[in-house]
Amino acid sequence: MIYLEKGLKHSQLKRIEPASSDWSWLVEQQAIQAAAVNSSQEADQYKHNQGQFVIAGTMTKAIRQNANLVSRSILFFDIDNTNGDDYPAAVVKIQIAFKALAYLIYPTISNGYKGTRLRVAIPTDQPFDSEQRAHLGTYLAGLLPVDWETDLTSYRSNWSQLAGLPILNAYSLTHDDQPVSHTAPFLSLHQVLSQTKILSIKAHVSSPDRQTVLLDRQPWQEMANRTLTSLINPPSANRHLYFSSLVGSLLFMELDQPVIETLLNWSNAHSDKPLADDELKRVIVSVSRTAESKQRTNGE
């Protein structure tokens, strides 16, 4: 099911039942031309008043709240920093990384008006919940260049986060930065969870009341246990992704910034190949700022 919102002033969503599937509906959307968006101020006003935002999945009520969102069918995420690659070069790298998957790469806008902001949408072969989304995101980020920054880790702090639809601002219109889609198998939920050694959360109980409690509490308990265990066993490879994921998990657990810094410094010190102190600090600051920005705008 598709849920649309125009602007970010309210939480009421418009419910749309696609003729075929959520994914088919998304790839058929034409990029909206917003030539007047040529500054941070214009971008902010556009997003809050005219921007089209979407959630693809199943909701109990068409009101954007975490409690109302049961599952998602498409994972959205932004590429916040491509380390100097322009839009066409970044698109090519994503195409190579995700060559075996269906995807939609498209231009959108940010509050900071960063020229062309790049967003990626990936469909999954099964609906996924909030716990599974975090691991799908971490898996996909691991396929991308290590010097890129995505909002996958901090993004999961808001389960009902909205995703903007394709928008061509003044910059992307001039450079003709168009959406690019790819027809291929959907991302396998079971395969990703198996690779990341995360079991699908399914409560096999007869009592509906008991099932509600388990589904509400188990993801939090598992995340806390997994995060603390991960701190003790830092990897030698993919360290930036590892620490970014940790920061996202700790922010989700609402830990204070000094506590997060202390835990990550301790973990880094016990790594076979620790990051330099300034590198670790940049990771913490980058993820924390992205999380703060997402919470401040309350959707995108």
Side-chain angles (χ1 to χ4, degrees):
M1 193 68 63
I2 296 295
Y3 300 87
L4 287 180
E5 179 175 328
K6 184 175 182 179
L8 297 172
K9 291 183 176 181
H10 54 80
S11 298
Q12 186 67 46
L13 304 173
K14 179 182 178 181
R15 184 173 178 270
I16 297 177
E17 186 168 358
S20 178
S21 66
D22 294 354
W23 182 245
S24 296
W25 181 92
L26 180 65
V27 297
E28 289 172 359
Q29 301 306 301
Q30 299 295 314
I32 300 170
Q33 297 191 7
V37 178
N38 59 6
S39 66
S40 296
Q41 181 178 4
E42 291 292 339
D44 183 67
Q45 291 179 355
Y46 184 89
K47 287 176 61 177
H48 279 80
N49 298 301
Q50 298 171 260
Q52 297 283 336
F53 300 90
V54 65
I55 292 176
T58 301
M59 303 185 73
T60 56
K61 298 178 181 178
I63 300 175
R64 182 165 53 87
Q65 294 178 356
N66 289 347
N68 294 337
L69 181 55
V70 178
S71 64
R72 288 178 176 267
S73 59
I74 301 172
L75 185 144
F76 294 88
F77 62 94
D78 296 325
I79 306 297
D80 290 329
N81 188 329
T82 58
N83 198 34
D85 291 324
D86 60 11
Y87 186 84
V91 167
V92 170
K93 290 186 177 181
I94 296 171
Q95 290 176 307
I96 294 172
F98 297 159
K99 61 183 178 181
L101 302 174
Y103 58 71
L104 176 64
I105 307 167
Y106 62 90
T108 181
I109 60 175
S110 70
N111 287 346
Y113 187 71
K114 302 173 183 177
T116 299
R117 190 179 199 185
L118 195 155
R119 177 168 288 133
V120 182
I122 303 285
T124 56
D125 62 350
Q126 299 178 53
F128 55 91
D129 59 28
S130 59
E131 176 76 4
Q132 293 163 339
R133 180 181 66 162
H135 298 285
L136 290 170
T138 299
Y139 169 80
L140 291 169
L143 300 178
L144 295 171
V146 295
D147 54 1
W148 283 12
E149 293 179 13
T150 76
D151 68 352
L152 286 168
T153 51
S154 58
Y155 165 99
R156 69 184 176 196
S157 62
N158 186 357
W159 170 226
S160 58
Q161 193 85 3
L162 292 164
L165 291 174
I167 300 174
L168 294 167
N169 61 18
Y171 182 92
S172 50
L173 275 169
T174 301
H175 291 76
D176 196 29
D177 295 334
Q178 295 292 331
V180 177
S181 63
H182 182 229
T183 301
F186 288 6
L187 180 64
S188 169
L189 179 64
H190 175 74
Q191 182 179 359
V192 171
L193 296 180
S194 297
Q195 289 183 10
T196 54
K197 299 181 180 179
I198 303 298
L199 297 177
S200 179
I201 300 171
K202 291 185 178 180
H204 298 286
V205 293
S206 57
S207 169
D209 293 336
R210 177 171 175 76
Q211 183 176 11
T212 300
V213 173
L214 286 174
L215 289 174
D216 179 59
R217 296 178 59 186
Q218 187 173 338
W220 173 268
Q221 293 169 343
E222 290 195 356
M223 173 176 284
N225 291 336
R226 186 171 58 257
T227 300
L228 295 175
T229 301
S230 182
L231 281 165
I232 302 172
N233 300 296
S236 299
N238 295 324
R239 293 164 298 166
H240 288 82
L241 176 60
Y242 161 77
F243 284 119
S244 295
S245 180
L246 272 181
V247 175
S249 296
L250 295 171
L251 287 170
F252 180 81
M253 295 163 63
E254 300 184 355
L255 269 65
D256 293 334
Q257 197 73 15
V259 176
I260 293 176
E261 293 179 7
T262 298
L263 290 173
L264 265 69
N265 283 324
W266 181 91
S267 181
N268 188 45
H270 288 76
S271 172
D272 293 336
K273 295 181 180 179
L275 289 177
D277 291 343
D278 59 339
E279 286 187 79
L280 182 62
K281 180 67 175 179
R282 280 198 295 269
V283 170
I284 297 173
V285 170
S286 175
V287 176
S288 299
R289 283 178 177 174
T290 303
E292 182 180 356
S293 175
K294 290 292 183 180
Q295 291 174 354
R296 186 168 56 250
T297 58
N298 195 30
E300 181 177 356

